[in-house]
Amino acid sequence: MVIKKLKPDQYHALCHCLQAKAYAEPLDASYTVKMQVNSMEYAVKIQPEEECCVAALQALLIEREEDGPSFELITESPLLASLLELLVFQGMRQAL
């Protein structure tokens, strides 16, 4: 898990983007965001926190193969931090 403190405008832009475009299970505090980075597909679990913080809980690397998809659980901080940075950047760009 990676937690990042955001500026209020970044936090609100990201939360708005999550509410509009991400998937959330009923009564679940986190969102699942599908991301395409280069040729890699990820499903990232993001949870807004108090005081303008956001947590990247985990991610799945999804590899589409002929015999069906394969999945790899990602819990390493550097990759999760990078995916979170991309989400914040994308959320800010969509708010403009």
Side-chain angles (χ1 to χ4, degrees):
M1 175 171 62
V2 175
I3 298 175
K4 180 173 178 66
K5 177 120 173 117
L6 303 176
K7 294 178 183 175
D9 60 331
Q10 290 176 315
Y11 179 79
H12 294 299
L14 182 62
C15 287
H16 178 68
C17 184
L18 289 172
Q19 291 171 352
K21 298 187 177 187
Y23 174 75
E25 291 283 338
L27 303 174
D28 193 355
S30 66
Y31 295 87
T32 301
V33 179
K34 299 267 181 155
M35 295 181 66
Q36 191 82 23
V37 180
N38 296 328
S39 63
M40 308 301 279
E41 181 180 354
Y42 297 93
V44 185
K45 292 285 272 187
I46 301 293
Q47 182 170 310
E49 299 286 337
E50 295 178 348
E51 300 180 15
C52 294
C53 290
V54 63
L57 304 175
Q58 66 182 38
L60 280 178
L61 170 61
I62 305 166
E63 295 186 89
R64 307 282 177 186
E65 299 171 356
E66 289 181 19
D67 57 341
S70 65
F71 303 96
E72 179 182 336
L73 181 63
I74 299 168
T75 57
E76 306 150 11
S77 293
L79 185 52
L80 277 178
S82 297
L83 292 170
L84 182 56
E85 286 294 329
L86 284 171
L87 282 172
V88 170
F89 177 75
Q90 288 175 346
M92 286 302 297
R93 287 186 53 91
Q94 290 178 3
L96 298 176

